[in-house]
Amino acid sequence: MTGQRLSVTRRTVLRGAVAAGTLAGTAATLRPTLASADPSRGVVVLGGGVAGLTAAHELAERGFDVTLYERRALGGKARSIPVPGSGRDGRPELMGEHGFRFFPGFYRHIPDTMRRIPFAGNANGVWDNLIAAPEARFSRRDADDVILPLGRAGRIWATPDDFRETVGSAIATSTKMSESDALYFANRLLVFNTSCDARRYGQWDKVSWRDYVGAGRRSTEFRMLLSRTLTTLLVAAKDDLASTLTIGNMGEQFLGNPLEVANDGALDRLLNGSTNEAWIDPWVARLRELGVKFATGEVRGLDIADGRITAARIVDGSGAARQIEADYFVCAVPTEVARTLWSPEILSRRPDLAGMSQLMVDWMTGIQFFLKREIGIARGHVAYVDSPWSLTSISQNQFWARTPVTGLGDGTVRDCLSVDISDWNTPGLLYGKPAKECTHDEIAREVWAQLKAHLNDQRELLADADLHSWFLDTGITWDGANKRNTNADPLLINTAGSWALRPESHTADIENLFLAGDYVRTNVDLATMEGASEAARTAVNALLEVSGSNAPRCRLFTLYRASELEPFRQLDIARFKSGQPNLFDAPL
């Protein structure tokens, strides 16, 4: 096959120092002053999800010429999906989603980028399209539901005992859990929060969350809320698989930071319109203004010689195979795609990539129910705690002030209940089959039945007459011959022991290859938009070093840790090194 050289140029450096803080505080453009550069040099970004768009954004702001290849749709798992044929009488089509968007306050990288995406009428760009959800609901079958107000707590603790009592009391009061269970969990959270890094990565990452919290010896309420629900909501993983490192990090942010210190905003935030309208489309427009070029293409392989990637083998939008040459390659495709690219020649240079073959992916995918009336379920997210398919939902119209659902479709839709299915492997209520083995119609009926079983046990909140239509993520495809679904967009699962299997963004062994997927080791350590953004920034910083650029490095943020507990983390360094348990780690 004849190689085709991509005409992309690397404009090497910014003249003059630009403070890194300038990149975060405003939607204003970073305008580089460019030095002369070899016109044959450039950057290819493979993948147009959050990681790829972030890498392209950071590189373009620093004067690089970038071409991005995406196989299907820009935005990846974060995109909106128009419902084909749903618009009537000049109205836009209804909007589906791979899953509802959730922007916790401890996210820092995504909001930093959002502030640099201009949006008409917004002083802070796309960031101003984020709005806070004031509450969350935990719905149980045949039991009282718990509605939690979300907001800053009135005080913070001063000592470990105060931590246990404050967190334990808050859990017991808000969940109706026994005081002994609540205090026990608060102590397990204290153990993690006072663990040093060496223990977190060397011990807790190797332990499943269920074993860490001793769920098998606690109450049903404890197992459902603090073991099962936490893991399925965050990482679509079962509690016997999920890494304590990952779940502990999230618990430290949600429960260990009552005053939201160092947060970007409120604990739970959503967009005020469909994801494409409120975020992705303005982002792509901004990248085009910065000179990023977009092309349809699916990467099938990487050629390597003398420790450098010489070309990416692409099948373009017309189905033609091409070789794309450039000086730098940013691989921003997801886990299950990236690991197919690691040829024996690449693995001989970077043996650390071999561990990716053992990383686990599973499904966490959305379905939207379009309703004929607004449903007052909750002013925020709802977790259906004991639903077989680990469902969560959000009623969108109450938040979509920018483009209400009522203005979409045929004019009769009044709300959209957007539901995430986190467990595709457990049999459901109606058909006794897991979601992977259900037809699309069966999936819709099953999810609807599980929602009603939770919401209608006290009074009817959801009626069949409310349903206008439904839409399942197009990444889910029914294979009639094998009587099961396939999924084009699985999710990386942070299982126990998976940290050792995940690579760094860059090593000198292949000097011009940079990894920017959410499987890369990151501080946030979670397969999310935030993890993808952090990984992309790390990749760009490595590229800047290799290229000799003096452009300002991308800002990187770390997760919050309570300063009040820092002396105990320092103490834990010596304890872990000598083989002793954490000071507060009492026998389970």
Side-chain angles (χ1 to χ4, degrees):
M1 181 171 60
T2 302
Q4 177 179 343
R5 185 163 188 84
L6 181 69
S7 178
V8 289
T9 306
R10 179 179 68 87
R11 291 174 286 182
T12 312
V13 292
L14 292 170
R15 293 300 187 192
V18 181
T22 307
L23 299 175
T26 176
T29 311
L30 183 150
R31 300 192 179 279
T33 302
L34 303 172
S36 60
D38 181 347
S40 68
R41 310 184 76 189
V43 183
V44 162
V45 175
L46 303 170
V50 169
L53 294 175
T54 301
H57 193 163
E58 300 292 347
L59 288 165
E61 283 191 335
R62 288 160 176 80
F64 288 81
D65 274 3
V66 180
T67 297
L68 182 150
Y69 285 84
E70 165 57 34
R71 61 175 176 163
R72 190 171 39 168
L74 294 172
K77 289 190 277 287
R79 73 191 188 283
S80 302
I81 309 170
V83 181
S86 60
R88 297 285 190 279
D89 302 323
R91 297 181 189 86
E93 293 174 321
L94 295 166
M95 281 294 172
E97 303 269 349
H98 170 78
F100 53 70
R101 304 275 71 78
F102 171 42
F103 299 84
F106 66 83
Y107 280 15
R108 304 291 301 280
H109 298 92
I110 289 287
D112 176 65
T113 298
M114 286 179 151
R115 288 185 171 90
R116 290 183 278 131
I117 304 171
F119 196 96
N122 287 358
N124 299 295
V126 163
W127 186 87
D128 284 341
N129 291 338
L130 293 174
I131 52 178
E135 66 184 21
R137 178 172 179 164
F138 295 85
S139 183
R140 298 286 302 271
R141 290 187 65 184
D142 303 319
D144 291 338
D145 291 359
V146 173
I147 297 179
L148 295 179
L150 301 179
R152 295 186 179 185
R155 60 183 289 269
I156 198 167
W157 45 82
T159 67
D161 285 341
D162 194 18
F163 178 97
R164 273 189 295 254
E165 293 172 6
T166 302
V167 175
S169 175
I171 292 173
T173 302
S174 59
T175 66
K176 301 177 183 179
M177 190 178 296
S178 70
E179 184 176 351
S180 62
D181 271 354
L183 286 173
Y184 170 81
F185 179 78
N187 190 73
R188 296 311 293 162
L189 188 62
L190 176 65
V191 169
F192 186 87
N193 287 13
T194 56
S195 290
C196 63
D197 281 339
R199 190 184 300 278
R200 294 186 186 207
Y201 291 96
Q203 180 179 359
W204 301 139
D205 180 61
K206 301 174 183 178
V207 178
S208 75
W209 181 249
R210 184 168 70 181
D211 287 346
Y212 177 77
V213 297
R217 293 179 289 277
R218 312 310 297 186
S219 67
T220 299
E221 191 77 6
F222 182 100
R223 292 196 301 271
M224 295 303 297
L225 284 177
L226 299 180
S227 187
R228 180 176 184 264
T229 301
L230 276 179
T231 53
T232 54
L233 285 180
L234 290 173
V235 293
K238 293 184 177 179
D239 53 355
D240 62 339
L241 297 176
S243 164
T244 295
L245 171 65
T246 301
I247 306 303
N249 278 338
M250 298 306 100
E252 191 169 26
Q253 305 311 304
F254 283 117
L255 300 174
N257 189 8
L259 297 182
E260 299 175 8
V261 177
N263 272 21
D264 178 80
L267 181 64
D268 183 0
R269 296 175 296 180
L270 306 96
L271 289 167
N272 63 2
S274 70
T275 309
N276 272 20
E277 179 191 26
W279 179 25
I280 301 298
D281 289 346
W283 197 4
V284 172
R286 179 66 193 132
L287 298 189
R288 291 188 192 278
E289 291 177 355
L290 289 169
V292 175
K293 294 177 283 292
F294 295 94
T296 302
E298 181 175 357
V299 59
R300 296 291 178 84
L302 298 171
D303 295 335
I304 183 171
D306 300 325
R308 291 179 58 84
I309 301 299
T310 57
R313 283 175 271 122
I314 299 286
V315 175
D316 65 20
S318 68
R322 294 198 293 156
Q323 284 182 311
I324 306 301
E325 299 179 1
D327 286 281
Y328 307 108
F329 294 85
V330 178
C331 183
V333 296
T335 310
E336 70 281 0
V337 177
R339 61 192 177 193
T340 68
L341 305 177
W342 312 145
S343 65
E345 293 79 10
I346 289 175
L347 290 176
S348 69
R349 284 276 183 172
R350 283 201 61 174
D352 61 307
L353 298 180
M356 287 182 61
S357 65
Q358 301 177 58
L359 292 176
M360 179 179 176
V361 296
D362 210 336
W363 301 11
M364 186 177 189
T365 307
I367 183 171
Q368 286 75 47
F369 294 98
F370 299 103
L371 307 176
K372 298 176 184 177
R373 66 182 180 93
E374 288 202 56
I375 307 296
I377 299 174
R379 297 179 300 156
H381 290 95
V382 182
Y384 302 86
V385 174
D386 44 5
S387 58
W389 289 1
S390 296
L391 306 179
T392 49
S393 75
I394 191 78
S395 299
Q396 290 180 323
N397 197 54
Q398 61 185 316
F399 299 103
W400 281 19
R402 183 164 298 284
T403 306
V405 175
T406 53
L408 307 177
D410 63 7
T412 66
V413 174
R414 292 293 174 266
D415 207 347
C416 174
L417 187 61
S418 187
V419 183
D420 273 4
I421 306 169
S422 295
D423 187 337
W424 288 73
N425 303 301
T426 298
L429 301 177
L430 291 184
Y431 304 103
K433 297 187 294 185
K436 287 180 179 177
E437 298 177 11
C438 289
T439 66
H440 292 188
D441 186 65
E442 288 173 339
I443 290 173
R445 293 176 183 274
E446 179 70 53
V447 172
W448 187 254
Q450 292 185 31
L451 295 175
K452 290 197 300 181
H454 280 73
L455 296 175
N456 293 352
D457 52 355
Q458 303 292 327
R459 62 186 179 89
E460 189 175 67
L461 284 177
L462 207 59
D464 291 343
D466 298 331
L467 184 59
H468 174 279
S469 56
W470 54 268
F471 177 78
L472 180 66
D473 179 7
T474 53
I476 302 296
T477 304
W478 175 249
D479 180 352
N482 293 305
K483 298 187 181 301
R484 62 185 297 111
N485 289 292
T486 60
N487 186 355
D489 301 297
L491 181 71
L492 173 68
I493 305 300
N494 296 65
T495 55
S498 61
W499 180 262
L501 304 174
R502 292 162 57 190
E504 299 290 346
S505 178
H506 177 260
T507 72
D509 302 292
I510 305 179
E511 65 174 358
N512 67 336
L513 176 64
F514 308 88
L515 310 183
D518 60 13
Y519 57 85
V520 171
R521 292 179 177 180
T522 58
N523 183 257
V524 73
D525 185 41
L526 188 63
T528 57
M529 300 180 294
E530 179 74 355
S533 179
E534 182 183 345
R537 289 162 177 253
T538 303
V540 170
N541 283 347
L543 192 154
L544 295 174
E545 290 294 326
V546 170
S547 69
S549 171
N550 67 352
R553 275 29 180 180
C554 306
R555 294 194 69 186
L556 293 171
F557 301 89
T558 57
L559 294 176
Y560 164 82
R561 293 184 184 178
S563 59
E564 293 80 3
L565 300 179
E566 182 60 27
F568 300 97
R569 286 190 285 269
Q570 292 298 315
L571 175 65
D572 195 51
I573 295 173
R575 293 182 66 88
F576 180 72
K577 188 174 181 179
S578 63
Q580 298 181 77
N582 179 277
L583 181 64
F584 304 102
D585 193 3
L588 296 176

